[in-house]
Amino acid sequence: MHTFALYLSEMRDVIIEKASKLFLQLGFKSVTMDDLAVSLGISKKTLYIHFENKYELVKEVTFTIFEKVIGDIIQFKNEAENPIEELYCVKMEAMKYLGNEKTSPNYQLQKYYPDVYQNLRKKEYQYLGKFVQSSLQNGIDSGIFRSEIDVNFVSRLYLNGMLGIRDIEIFPIEEYKIEDLFENYLDYHLRAIVTKKGLKTLTQFKSIS
């Protein structure tokens, strides 16, 4: 019984891993359960043993990817030389999962799985909020960010803006490139809170990145 339970757990992980790759490559909407079963070399019946429907699979994959992103962000924070570099590293990580095409996870979650997207937004506020607050405080302590800023307010404002620029109704993908939106917003955010020392650091970082 123990061996069978282990097999089921391992198979579930394999399905999530394969589905993640296909969803990121082709889009949540484009990949069917039939496509996934064929790519895994298993029957659709076996697939449905682990996931009741595609919605449940999309939800599981979305939050699995999110947990990986959070892990990568923690690593960036530990390795970055300063809070400005931290935020740019987070931006680069985010760009791996966004993109401007209608196959992008950002577009398809909003369009076809709005409930999953809303739950993802809540998790982003919960987990990224702590990261942003810590980053802001580190910037203040190191003299890069202005000491008078309200850390809680600015962190919420920053996160709300990052979510806003991903809103496909406010910024249609036909008119705006997501990488330009992220770059412009990050520059706007940092210039509003940096000290003279921070501005010098920002300018130097952008000149070599």
Side-chain angles (χ1 to χ4, degrees):
M1 181 64 70
H2 176 72
T3 302
F4 181 67
L6 180 62
Y7 165 77
L8 289 177
S9 177
E10 291 176 346
M11 176 55 71
R12 182 181 176 86
D13 290 342
V14 169
I15 292 170
I16 292 172
E17 181 180 0
K18 186 64 176 181
S20 297
K21 291 178 180 178
L22 290 176
F23 286 154
L24 289 174
Q25 180 182 0
L26 303 172
F28 289 105
K29 181 71 172 177
S30 304
V31 179
T32 66
M33 296 296 266
D34 284 314
D35 295 331
L36 183 56
V38 170
S39 66
L40 286 165
I42 61 176
S43 68
K44 200 160 65 167
K45 181 180 178 181
T46 301
L47 193 55
Y48 281 114
I49 290 175
H50 298 274
F51 296 95
E52 183 178 350
N53 50 53
K54 185 180 174 182
Y55 176 88
E56 292 300 323
L57 177 58
V58 168
K59 183 168 65 174
E60 185 71 24
V61 166
T62 297
F63 295 123
T64 297
I65 292 173
F66 176 74
E67 289 175 5
K68 179 184 181 304
V69 171
I70 292 298
D72 290 341
I73 287 175
I74 292 172
Q75 183 176 345
F76 295 148
K77 184 172 180 59
N78 293 334
E79 297 176 354
E81 293 185 5
N82 57 68
I84 290 176
E85 183 179 340
E86 283 178 19
L87 291 177
Y88 272 95
C89 286
V90 171
K91 186 202 81 168
M92 294 301 295
E93 180 69 9
M95 289 310 306
K96 295 179 183 179
Y97 304 99
L98 296 175
N100 256 76
E101 305 81 13
K102 290 189 175 181
T103 57
S104 75
N106 180 61
Y107 178 89
Q108 294 212 343
L109 282 179
Q110 290 184 61
K111 192 79 173 177
Y112 305 113
Y113 301 95
D115 290 345
V116 176
Y117 184 73
Q118 289 303 318
N119 286 332
L120 178 62
R121 289 185 57 158
K122 292 177 182 177
K123 282 186 174 291
E124 287 180 354
Y125 261 105
Q126 179 182 355
Y127 290 95
L128 295 182
K130 296 176 182 177
F131 164 80
V132 175
Q133 287 188 15
S134 174
S135 180
L136 288 169
Q137 190 60 56
N138 288 341
I140 292 172
D141 295 341
S142 61
I144 290 177
F145 298 153
R146 293 187 288 110
S147 60
E148 69 271 20
I149 65 172
D150 184 323
V151 170
N152 182 53
F153 172 75
V154 174
S155 67
R156 289 173 180 268
L157 191 66
Y158 173 76
L159 288 173
N160 192 58
M162 291 296 280
L163 291 171
I165 62 175
R166 287 160 45 192
D167 190 318
I168 58 177
E169 292 187 2
I170 299 175
F171 295 102
I173 63 174
E174 296 84 2
E175 300 177 33
Y176 298 92
K177 291 184 177 181
I178 192 67
E179 57 265 34
D180 292 340
L181 290 172
F182 264 75
E183 179 65 29
N184 291 337
Y185 180 70
L186 187 53
D187 188 70
Y188 169 83
H189 164 73
L190 288 171
R191 288 181 185 277
I193 63 174
V194 292
T195 60
K196 289 183 179 180
K197 175 184 176 181
L199 182 58
K200 183 178 180 180
T201 301
L202 175 61
T203 303
Q204 290 174 340
F205 182 82
K206 293 186 71 172
S207 68
I208 61 175
S209 60

